[in-house]
Amino acid sequence: MPQGQAFAAHARATKGFQHYFRDRNIDGQGVSCLFSVRIFWKESRMRTYVRASAPAGARCLPRNYFFSDEIYRKEEAKIFRRSWMVVGHQSQIISPGSYFQTSIAGENLFVVRNEENQIRAYRNFCTHKGHVLAEKPSGRFDHGCMVCPYHGYNFNLADGTLHSAKGLDPKLFHRYPLARVALEIWDGLILVNLDPHPKSFLGQFPMLQGKFAEWKLGELQCPPRAIIDYVLDTNWKIPYQNYSECFHCPMIHKALVKLSPPTSGVNDLTRGAILGGPMDLREGVQTLTDTGQTNRQPIPGLSSENQGRVYYYTIFPTAFLSLHPDYVMVHILRPMGVAKTHIRCMWLFHPSELNKAEFSPSDAMSFWDNVNKEDWKACENCQVGMTSEAYRPGPYVSSEGLSWAFDQHYLSQLSLLHAAAAYCRSKWNGAFGRWLTV
């Protein structure tokens, strides 16, 4: 039996996986990467929790990944323009005609609910002379149509087709519809994709089908005042890596560790685009607020086990999902340049709480606003520190396994792992080089 086939047969027989890694320079660019191949035979949506760990010798990404305009342009082309991006929640646009603006990779978009209660996304320009249609960050189109404020071109709210245009032959209207963008709703979250023919979100990530059903994300609502926007002077990957580990928590999050043990985290998704798992609440703590207590009831139907935990997941490339006993918090990252990132933080609550006269989101918002600002300061300081030409990527500790897993998936999306495989095949003969192609 050839050596490679023997390895595969052994891996299948043991129902396990192997790690292989080695540091090399790629294509003479001086980019030091850790490439890893994992072969899994277990269903990724397993209920067993593990502690994700970084392998010995794993290092952080080199500094040019946080400063290079060339790499940022590759990210825009290969990641942001090809991925499903969380941009908001359906409760932000409840009534027909209501919309909000967003942007992806420099492309300005607006998301709108039509009179058939369908949510659509369009590129934000009129097909006459390119004037923006949605001028405000959020607002409402009236009378079932979207009118350009420049020359009055009128587009149907239902499907974006041109309805009327002064001076243009109606026979030509069909040539000038709005530029529609792929959109899907997953558990109430709105995702868009600039790829003209993307695979469906759940088609790519079937492990998410029903995974968070207990939290009833599609029923939750975001009150207008439960949104905070931040602008950070840092590369988008640094907040992502920061969210993925709690190694830093005892140092900078004193209030958080009083409510949740920083070493309690375990994971059920440890590779690929979706990473994360739960952390425990300390005994007597109801949820994460300034006091650890709240007058809100747990989300209806939430199990007693999940009432004692908070679940944290990253959704590559730009969203964090934090599921608490009584609310869900969503971070939406919007890269604005190689060293600037906009982050929107939203809090979602069940209608049974929202309808109470005494309802207030302030205890949850205040707590996480403080934690967020502690994180953002650390992220910005990392960006500043890495400007030094003497900086070299340090080693990951074992508990930073999800940060390392993010790096591996990120590199795969930039197609660098295939370059690494080619390099290894050219340097190493035998089955091992061939296995790096998977």
Side-chain angles (χ1 to χ4, degrees), residues 24 295 300 347:
R24 291 290 184 186
N295 61 4
W347 287 262

Side-chain angles (χ1 to χ4, degrees), residues 1 4 92 128 161-162 178 200 224 244 267 313 334 353 362 369 374 376 383 389 392 409 437:
M1 179 183 294
Q92 292 177 261
H128 178 214
T161 55
L162 183 59
L178 295 180
S200 71
S244 299
N267 311 108
Y313 289 91
R334 183 165 58 90
E353 294 298 319
S362 60
D369 185 36
E374 291 167 346
W376 306 158
Q383 185 78 24
E389 62 182 16
R392 296 294 182 271
H409 184 71
T437 61

Side-chain angles (χ1 to χ4, degrees), residues 224-237:
R225 64 185 185 276
I227 295 176
I228 300 178
D229 291 299
Y230 308 89
V231 177
L232 283 62
D233 292 323
T234 186
N235 183 271
W236 67 278
K237 294 184 289 297

Side-chain angles (χ1 to χ4, degrees), residues 155-170:
F155 299 88
N156 288 307
L157 185 61
D159 58 8
T161 55
L162 183 59
H163 174 69
S164 64
K166 185 178 180 180
L168 182 66
D169 186 343

